């Protein structure tokens, strides 16, 4: 009886205890392909997840599949739960998956092929990765890339006869410079190899740091970074190779001093500009060639295959194959993709009615042209009767010129082919641009994505192309759009829905207008692709935007709202361009890595020369990316989002450079006022949240306190933003609201409510609609934190002109730029600008302009507005 009573009590307790349900996140893959390696970031709300071990992935049948989970960041300091994870897996036939999480979730132990990774950092050390199918080695101080690669096609373990590729030179990677003395061929030296976060049994990443050295003393050494991704049981790799240009870009006579826009002192200023100096347009150090090199271990008789497309360069045509057999007699076989004026594509424009031409792909064997087409698919395969190596370059056409070159078994993947006109960074003219006349090309960077597929001869061409496409046209994995909003990692915003389409159209049409023009102008080229131009007047585009104001983040947000792969591709390209080309990366400050046993290394490090004060600083909008700087022009939000969503490590790496620049305070009080202050708070909040490093947190707190102090001063009527920079309302409200989410600092919440009240009662018109519409997000934050209905009413009132009518037909049905521009102008309710008499009243904020002002009028306002409109309707 006692046992029966005890069982009854236990049963009653169990019935009344809350059931801990396993929670789920829906995942879908756009441009799905089975067996593809997928890395995706998933955010979590505060308090939802406390261990990456309490997560597992299910396929469309509800069956768990192998996955690798990495904790990326937490909600600290306000909460110790997990904020972001990376999920890695190999896709199956279905494009639908479910992520299951909760305290009772137990992920199955992984029992499949595992990656073995060695990173020996001793002097003369090496890194080695073994996927089970492929093994490759990277030697410190060696050639700048893979020194040995083994392919086990017999599944009997790695033996000497499994060596498929090697490199015994110091030219595994190269960046050759051309000046008046001729070509200076680089020598690559690897200095460090580092195992990256996100490495595990299924997917591993090795970071290679090194330096290109030159034979002539007048050519500066150039740093490079290469990240190699390897995958369990697979024989392909992804390579992300970053070069840095350290040359002297032109021959102008250098004046002593700094420009007032970026002055770090006032003793030596450049007061006048020598616009007649012919040296501005005369190139000095040019890129003659850049790429990766391997020697393949193949027989004399080899098969060569490449994919190409005929027809117009701007259309997706059916793919064709070029196939040839080559023997011992040939000397050189190459594939090169060119485009209009590769040296300076931004000087070549389509008209409003017609696209430019001049895109061409040529396959040449021993100087004989074997094939010409409009564009290549960006890959080649070179094989014998036993095995082969395929290589591909992502964005082969968009980032022209690109190429491949084969000399018997020596294979070059050209990021800049030596047969193309050398890349010049001289100015297009000696005219004032971006309010200054200078050239800041020294220190820009560029990352290119390459894939190698080591395979046996039995692999079909179809399977090979499929595997190459995992990287050349990668699938885009995304959670249910509602999940990103519910997680609150970026605040309250609404996924795209059918209701309130009058607001949604304003978002969709603008993003699609920019993508249309990217493929019309075209905004292509190795150092241009990923950016968008700013002003569209009289059917002509002017000035690169250089990311103002976080244009890549706008695309990432639109991707999260929609799951549309087009926006994923645009966001990815824009982040990669802006973090590399639109910032200064060299000369860098020396870093002490403690990778040596010798204490003297620290003192040697202490004695090294300092870097440029402008390290980590961004470019101002101008006709070329590298000819103007400004003290408030760098946005890191999209870079860190690419790190979270896409596992792109360089995004956080470059963001740190900007954070370190803030800590140096090179502009003194100037950098702690106005939009420079508001933008720095937004940037530093995101960086501190991603790193949790005290040095960023302390600098951020100082700047937040300063913003709140200035708000109480006599000049700002309780506004966080001074009237001079009214369009920067979004910087203040985005940065401080994000800071409040991760700290819970009540002073900040009260300041944001006070600010909303100030701008509600004092309508800012100092930049007309740029300032007026920029207040919408601030008003909505005030409403969220106070529930004062007047804030929401005023936000809705101000957003009235953002409503957009429906186009009479789909955007795809407009044949020319002018047809689409005219149609868009008719459906927009945005007013003209009476001040802009030069262009007949056409406004900076019009629907046909670029994304710069759109960030202040729409991109950071409409998603939040739609959230509250739908939230209030649901009530």
């Amino acid at each position: 009886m006692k046992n029966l009573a005890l069982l009854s009590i236990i049963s009653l307790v169990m019935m009344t205890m809350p059931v801990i349900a396993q929670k789920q996140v829906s995942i879908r893959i756009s441009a799905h392909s089975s067996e593809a390696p997928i890395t995706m970031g998933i955010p979590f709300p505060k308090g939802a997840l406390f261990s990456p071990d309490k997560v597992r992935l299910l396929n469309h049948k509800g069956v768990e599949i192998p996955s690798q989970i990495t904790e990326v960041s937490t909600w600290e300091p306000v909460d110790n739960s997990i904020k972001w994870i990376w999920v890695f897996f190999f896709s199956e036939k279905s494009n639908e998956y479910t992520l299951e999480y909760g305290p009772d979730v137990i992920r199955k132990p992984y029992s499949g092929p595992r990656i073995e990774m060695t990173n020996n950092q001793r002097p003369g050390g090496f890194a080695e990765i073994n996927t089970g199918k492929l093994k490759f080695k990277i030697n410190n101080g060696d050639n700048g890339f893979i020194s040995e690669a083994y392919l086990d096609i017999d599944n009997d373990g790695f033996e000497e006869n499994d060596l498929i590729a090697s490199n015994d030179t110091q030219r595994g990677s190269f960046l050759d410079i051309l000046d008046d003395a001729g070509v200076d061929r680089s020598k690559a030296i690897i200095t460090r190899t580092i195992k990256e976060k996100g490495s595990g049994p299924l997917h591993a990443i090795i970071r290679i740091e090194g330096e290109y050295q030159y034979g002539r003393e007048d050519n500066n050494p150039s740093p490079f970074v290469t990240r190699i991704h390897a995958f369990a049981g697979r024989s392909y790799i992804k390579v992300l190779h970053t070069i840095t240009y350290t040359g002297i870009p032109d021959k102008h006579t250098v004046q002593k001093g700094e420009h007032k826009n970026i002055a770090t002192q006032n003793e030596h200023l450049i007061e006048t500009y020598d616009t007649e100096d012919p040296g501005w347009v005369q190139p000095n150090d040019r890129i003659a060639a850049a790429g990766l090199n391997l020697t393949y271990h193949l027989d004399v008789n080899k098969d060569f295959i490449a994919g190409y497309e005929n027809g117009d360069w701007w259309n997706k045509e059916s793919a064709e194959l070029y196939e040839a057999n080559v023997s011992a007699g040939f000397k050189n076989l190459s594939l090169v993709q060119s485009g209009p004026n590769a040296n300076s594509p931004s000087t070549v424009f389509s008209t409003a009615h017609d696209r430019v031409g001049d895109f061409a792909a040529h396959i040449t064997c021993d100087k004989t042209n074997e094939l010409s087409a409009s564009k290549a698919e960006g890959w080649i395969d070179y094989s014998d009767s036993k095995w082969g190596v395929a290589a591909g370059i992502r964005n082969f056409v968009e980032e022209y010129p690109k190429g491949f070159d084969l000399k018997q078994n020596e294979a070059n993947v050209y990021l800049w082919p030596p047969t193309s006109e050398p890349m010049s960074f001289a100015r297009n003219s000696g005219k004032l641009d971006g309010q200054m006349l200078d050239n800041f090309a020294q220190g820009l960077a560029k990352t290119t994505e390459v894939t190698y597929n080591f395979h046996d001869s039995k692999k079909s061409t179809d399977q090979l192309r499929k595997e190459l496409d995992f990287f050349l046209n990668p699938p885009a994995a995304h959670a249910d759009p509602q999940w990103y909003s519910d997680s609150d990692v970026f605040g309250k915003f609404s996924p795209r829905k059918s209701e309130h389409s009058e607001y949604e159209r304003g978002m969709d049409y603008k993003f699609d207008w920019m993508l249309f023009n990217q493929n019309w102008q075209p905004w292509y080229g190795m150092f241009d692709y990923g950016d968008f131009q700013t002003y569209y007047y009289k059917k002509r585009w002017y000035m690169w935007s250089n990311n103002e104001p976080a244009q890549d983040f706008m695309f990432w947000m639109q991707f999260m709202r929609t799951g549309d792969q087009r926006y994923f591709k645009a966001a990815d390209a824009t982040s990669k361009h802006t973090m590399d080309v639109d910032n200064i990366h060299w000369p860098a400050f020396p870093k002490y890595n403690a990778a040596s046993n010798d204490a003297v290394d620290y003192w040697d490090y202490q004695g090294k020369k300092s870097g440029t004060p402008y390290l980590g600083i961004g470019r101002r909008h101008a006709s070329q990316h590298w000819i103007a700087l400004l003290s408030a022009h760098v946005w890191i939000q999209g870079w860190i989002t690419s790190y979270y969503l896409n596992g792109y490590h360089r995004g956080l790496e470059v963001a740190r450079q900007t954070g370190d620049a803030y800590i140096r305070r090179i502009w003194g009080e100037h950098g702690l006022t106005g939009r420079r202050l508001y933008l720095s708070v937004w940037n530093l909040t995101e960086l501190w949240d991603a790193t949790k490093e005290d040095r960023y947190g302390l600098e951020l707190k100082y700047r937040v306190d300063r913003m709140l102090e200035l708000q109480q001063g006599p000049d700002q009527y309780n506004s966080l933003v001074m009237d001079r920079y009214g369009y920067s309302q979004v910087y203040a409200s985005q940065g401080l609201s994000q800071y409040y989410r991760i700290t819970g600092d009540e002073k900040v919440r009260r300041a944001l409510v006070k600010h909303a009240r100030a701008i509600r009662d004092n309508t800012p018109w100092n930049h007309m609609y740029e300032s007026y519409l920029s207040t919408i997000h601030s008003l909505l934050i005030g409403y969220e934190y106070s529930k004062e209905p007047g804030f929401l009413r005023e936000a809705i009132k101000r957003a009235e002109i953002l409503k957009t009518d429906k186009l009479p037909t789909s955007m795809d049905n407009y044949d020319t730029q002018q047809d689409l521009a005219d149609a868009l102008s008719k459906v927009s309710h945005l007013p003209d600008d009476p001040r802009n008499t030069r262009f007949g009243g056409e406004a900076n904020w019009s629907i046909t302009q670029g994304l710069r002002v759109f960030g202040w009028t729409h991109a950071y306002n409409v998603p939040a507005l739609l959230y509250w409109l739908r939230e209030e309707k649901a009530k």
Side-chain angles (χ1 to χ4, degrees):
M1 289 295 292
K2 287 182 179 180
N3 290 339
L4 183 60
L6 180 60
L7 286 172
S8 299
I9 293 171
I10 292 173
S11 299
L12 181 61
V13 170
M14 293 182 65
M15 291 174 61
T16 57
M17 286 179 61
V19 177
I20 301 175
Q22 295 173 349
K23 298 182 180 180
Q24 297 182 332
V25 183
S26 297
I27 293 172
R28 180 182 290 268
I29 301 178
S30 300
H32 172 263
S33 179
S34 62
E35 303 176 337
I38 303 293
T39 297
M40 67 175 302
I42 298 287
F44 288 87
K46 290 188 191 79
L49 179 67
F50 291 87
S51 169
D53 297 323
K54 298 300 181 181
V55 179
R56 64 177 183 166
L57 188 68
L58 311 178
N59 64 15
H60 71 290
K61 296 179 179 179
V63 177
E64 182 178 353
I65 62 174
S67 61
Q68 181 176 303
I69 311 297
T70 302
E71 177 182 322
V72 180
S73 70
T74 70
W75 279 97
E76 293 174 304
V78 73
D79 189 275
N80 64 351
S81 58
I82 292 174
K83 191 172 188 180
W84 283 93
I85 63 170
W86 289 330
V87 180
F88 176 85
F89 62 100
F90 292 103
S91 62
E92 297 191 342
K93 290 184 178 180
S94 172
N95 71 336
E96 295 185 350
Y97 302 84
T98 300
L99 193 75
E100 196 170 63
Y101 69 96
D104 56 341
V105 169
I106 299 176
R107 189 165 64 252
K108 288 182 181 178
Y110 176 63
S111 58
R114 300 177 66 90
I115 293 178
E116 296 177 1
M117 190 172 180
T118 301
N119 187 27
N120 183 331
Q121 283 296 292
R122 291 173 178 268
F126 62 92
E128 185 176 85
I129 296 180
N130 182 344
T131 72
K133 192 71 175 176
L134 175 72
K135 182 174 75 171
F136 60 91
K137 187 177 182 181
I138 299 133
N139 290 327
N140 282 357
D142 202 349
N143 63 66
F145 193 44
I146 293 171
S147 56
E148 299 171 357
Y150 295 83
L151 180 66
D152 181 16
I153 62 175
D154 300 320
N155 297 316
D156 59 354
F158 293 102
E159 301 170 334
E160 285 301 315
N161 62 0
D162 291 328
L163 182 68
I164 189 172
S166 62
N167 198 306
D168 299 324
T169 72
Q170 291 182 314
R171 298 274 296 173
S173 68
F174 50 91
L175 174 61
D176 299 338
I177 296 298
L178 171 68
D179 57 19
D180 290 345
V183 174
D184 197 348
R185 285 165 57 88
S186 59
K187 178 175 69 174
I189 302 297
I190 294 174
T191 55
R192 295 177 74 209
T193 51
I194 302 97
K195 192 184 300 183
E196 289 277 28
K197 176 185 283 191
S199 295
L202 285 166
H203 174 212
I205 313 108
I206 191 77
R207 181 172 86 243
I208 304 166
E209 296 180 358
E211 183 178 78
Y212 295 121
Q213 299 176 353
Y214 297 95
R216 297 196 294 269
E217 291 184 359
D218 63 328
N219 288 322
N220 298 311
S222 174
F224 67 86
V225 178
T226 306
R227 289 178 169 88
I228 302 179
H229 294 244
F231 308 92
R234 272 62 173 179
S235 59
Y236 49 71
I237 58 174
K238 178 172 78 171
V239 180
L240 294 161
H241 183 61
T242 304
I243 59 173
T244 302
Y245 173 73
T246 60
I248 308 299
D250 61 45
K251 297 180 179 180
H252 79 273
T253 301
V254 178
Q255 300 182 60
K256 183 179 180 180
E258 297 174 315
H259 297 278
K260 63 180 182 180
N261 287 348
I262 53 172
T264 63
Q265 43 74 45
N266 62 358
E267 294 182 7
H268 302 288
L269 295 179
I270 298 175
E271 300 289 351
T272 60
Y273 297 105
D274 186 2
T275 58
E276 301 302 318
D277 185 344
W280 290 115
V281 298
Q282 295 172 351
N284 190 352
D285 293 325
R286 293 178 284 172
I287 294 178
L292 304 171
N293 174 277
L294 283 173
T295 297
Y296 300 157
H297 292 241
L298 302 175
D299 290 339
V300 172
N301 291 308
K302 294 171 279 286
D303 292 319
F304 171 82
I305 306 177
Y308 68 95
E309 295 178 27
N310 282 310
D312 298 323
W313 62 263
W314 57 85
N315 287 326
K316 179 67 178 175
E317 304 287 346
S318 58
E320 306 286 344
L321 287 179
Y322 173 83
E323 301 180 77
N325 179 266
V326 292
S327 59
F330 92 101
K331 296 179 180 178
N332 180 274
L333 181 64
S334 67
L335 165 62
V336 174
Q337 175 71 54
S338 62
N341 195 4
N343 194 294
S344 185
S346 56
T347 62
V348 181
F349 297 97
S350 297
T351 70
H353 295 280
D354 297 295
R355 284 180 167 98
V356 297
D358 299 328
F359 279 85
H362 295 288
I363 295 177
T364 305
C365 185
D366 291 340
K367 299 183 180 180
T368 300
N369 188 59
E370 300 290 335
L371 179 136
S372 295
S374 61
K375 57 183 177 180
E377 286 196 312
W379 64 272
I380 63 165
D381 181 52
Y382 200 42
S383 61
D384 60 18
S385 59
K386 176 184 177 183
W387 54 14
V389 184
I393 304 176
R394 189 177 176 193
N395 299 322
F396 194 74
V397 176
E398 292 89 338
E399 295 187 0
Y400 73 87
K402 291 287 178 284
F404 305 97
D405 178 86
L406 303 166
K407 296 180 179 67
Q408 288 299 332
N409 282 340
E410 182 185 344
N412 290 300
V413 173
Y414 283 124
L415 314 182
W416 191 279
T419 54
S420 298
E421 181 184 357
M423 176 61 201
S424 164
F425 296 98
R427 292 176 57 107
N428 291 335
S429 79
K431 295 180 180 179
L432 209 65
D433 197 345
Q435 299 184 7
M436 63 174 61
L437 178 60
D438 210 326
N439 192 329
F440 299 98
Q442 187 177 73
L444 64 76
K446 176 61 187 176
T447 302
T448 307
E449 184 172 329
V450 178
T451 181
Y452 285 92
N453 192 307
F454 303 89
H455 63 90
D456 65 37
S457 60
K458 298 176 183 178
K459 182 169 288 186
S460 69
T461 301
D462 286 345
Q463 179 65 22
L464 186 62
R465 294 175 78 178
K466 174 184 175 180
E467 292 177 0
L468 289 166
D469 251 6
F470 294 163
F471 307 103
L472 304 185
N473 299 288
H478 56 91
D480 186 308
Q482 187 64 49
W483 179 256
Y484 298 107
S485 176
D486 291 344
S487 70
D488 206 30
V489 294
F490 294 117
K492 308 296 185 189
F493 68 91
S494 176
R496 183 173 63 190
K497 297 181 180 180
S498 58
E499 58 182 333
H500 297 296
S501 57
E502 68 277 13
Y503 288 114
E504 295 283 16
R505 284 191 290 263
M507 296 286 288
D508 292 346
Y509 289 172
K510 175 69 91 172
F511 285 118
D512 292 350
W513 163 245
M514 300 312 293
L515 295 181
F516 174 91
N517 281 282
Q518 186 178 58
N519 197 43
W520 176 276
Q521 287 303 116
W523 292 326
Y524 285 4
M526 180 170 175
F527 293 96
D528 286 346
Y529 180 66
D531 205 352
F532 302 87
Q533 293 196 318
T534 303
Y535 301 117
Y536 185 68
Y537 291 130
K538 295 185 177 180
K539 312 305 178 187
R540 169 82 183 273
W541 283 99
Y542 300 87
M543 282 194 173
W544 293 107
S545 292
N546 293 346
N547 207 34
E548 184 181 13
Q551 296 185 14
D552 58 340
F553 186 53
M554 299 181 203
F555 273 107
W556 284 120
M557 290 293 292
Q558 186 71 348
F559 167 68
M560 284 185 280
R561 295 185 68 236
T562 64
D564 190 325
Q565 191 204 24
R566 295 175 307 133
Y567 301 141
F568 176 89
K569 181 180 180 181
D572 181 59
T574 307
S575 281
K576 287 175 178 174
H577 167 89
T578 57
M579 71 178 71
D580 280 344
V581 178
D582 294 340
N583 288 271
I584 293 182
H585 305 274
W586 188 91
F589 293 88
K591 290 172 60 178
Y592 178 64
N593 297 307
S596 166
N597 281 333
D598 302 325
V600 72
D601 288 350
Y602 174 75
W603 305 108
D604 290 342
Y605 145 81
Q606 287 284 73
K608 290 184 179 179
K609 64 181 181 179
S610 297
T612 171
Y614 302 132
L615 188 74
I617 300 305
R619 323 281 188 181
R620 182 177 184 159
H621 44 279
S623 61
Q624 289 175 275
H625 297 288
W626 44 82
I627 62 178
L629 295 182
L630 196 62
S631 58
H633 270 240
V634 61
W635 289 262
I636 72 173
Q637 297 75 19
W639 311 343
I640 293 180
T641 304
S642 74
Y643 170 74
Y644 286 145
L645 281 175
N646 204 23
Y648 190 64
H649 293 80
R650 183 157 172 80
L652 184 59
E653 177 181 78
V654 179
R656 287 179 187 273
Q657 287 185 344
T658 296
D660 294 343
Y662 286 134
I663 291 172
R664 293 196 301 273
R665 298 188 187 177
I666 62 173
W667 286 300
E669 288 289 305
H670 173 74
L672 297 169
T673 58
R675 65 170 174 167
R676 292 160 291 276
L677 176 61
Y678 320 144
L679 180 54
S680 72
V681 165
W682 191 14
N683 284 335
L684 280 169
T685 298
E686 299 293 352
L687 181 58
W688 180 49
D689 189 31
T691 64
K692 309 300 182 190
E693 293 182 16
D694 286 344
R695 60 193 179 120
Y696 300 130
L698 291 171
E699 183 67 19
L700 171 60
K701 187 178 186 307
Y702 176 85
R703 291 172 184 249
V704 169
D705 289 345
R706 185 178 176 89
M707 277 188 73
L708 270 54
E709 288 170 5
L710 291 171
Q711 184 185 33
Q712 305 302 319
D715 300 335
Q716 291 185 207
Y717 56 91
N718 283 336
S719 170
L720 287 162
V721 175
M722 66 169 63
D723 286 342
R724 169 63 178 85
Y725 303 111
Y727 54 84
S728 59
Q729 306 280 349
V730 290
Y731 303 164
S733 56
Q734 288 277 357
L736 286 179
S737 63
Q738 190 75 317
Y739 183 83
Y740 175 66
R741 285 182 206 108
I742 60 176
T743 64
D745 189 334
E746 281 297 308
K747 297 193 305 295
V748 171
R749 185 192 67 80
R750 291 193 298 270
L752 285 163
V753 173
K754 191 181 297 184
H755 173 66
R757 188 174 298 114
I759 59 173
R760 179 197 64 188
D761 299 338
N762 299 273
T763 307
W765 283 106
N766 48 295
H767 283 75
M768 296 191 69
Y769 286 97
E770 295 173 48
S771 300
Y772 176 71
L773 295 171
S774 183
T775 62
I776 293 172
H777 184 266
S778 296
L779 289 166
L780 295 170
I781 289 294
Y783 176 68
E784 178 182 352
Y785 293 162
S786 71
K787 292 301 182 286
E788 166 54 48
F791 294 148
L792 180 57
R793 284 198 304 268
E794 185 64 20
I796 294 171
K797 175 185 174 183
R798 295 183 187 185
E800 188 68 21
I801 60 172
L802 299 181
K803 293 179 178 179
T804 306
D805 297 335
K806 188 176 181 180
L807 285 168
T809 185
S810 167
M811 271 201 177
D812 296 336
N813 294 329
Y814 290 92
D815 294 327
T816 71
Q817 183 188 75
Q818 180 159 344
D819 290 343
L820 181 53
D822 291 344
L824 287 170
S825 296
K826 291 177 182 178
V827 299
S828 174
H829 291 191
L830 290 164
D832 290 334
D833 183 357
R835 304 168 305 170
N836 197 351
T837 56
R838 181 182 176 190
F839 293 106
E842 194 166 352
N844 289 344
W845 51 80
S846 74
I847 195 170
T848 54
Q849 295 293 351
L851 287 169
R852 177 169 164 257
V853 176
F854 186 71
W856 302 321
T857 61
H858 292 66
Y860 301 127
N861 296 313
V862 171
L865 177 70
L866 292 174
Y867 174 89
W868 289 110
L869 288 175
R870 289 160 179 165
E871 186 75 7
E872 293 303 311
K873 181 180 178 182
K875 288 181 180 178

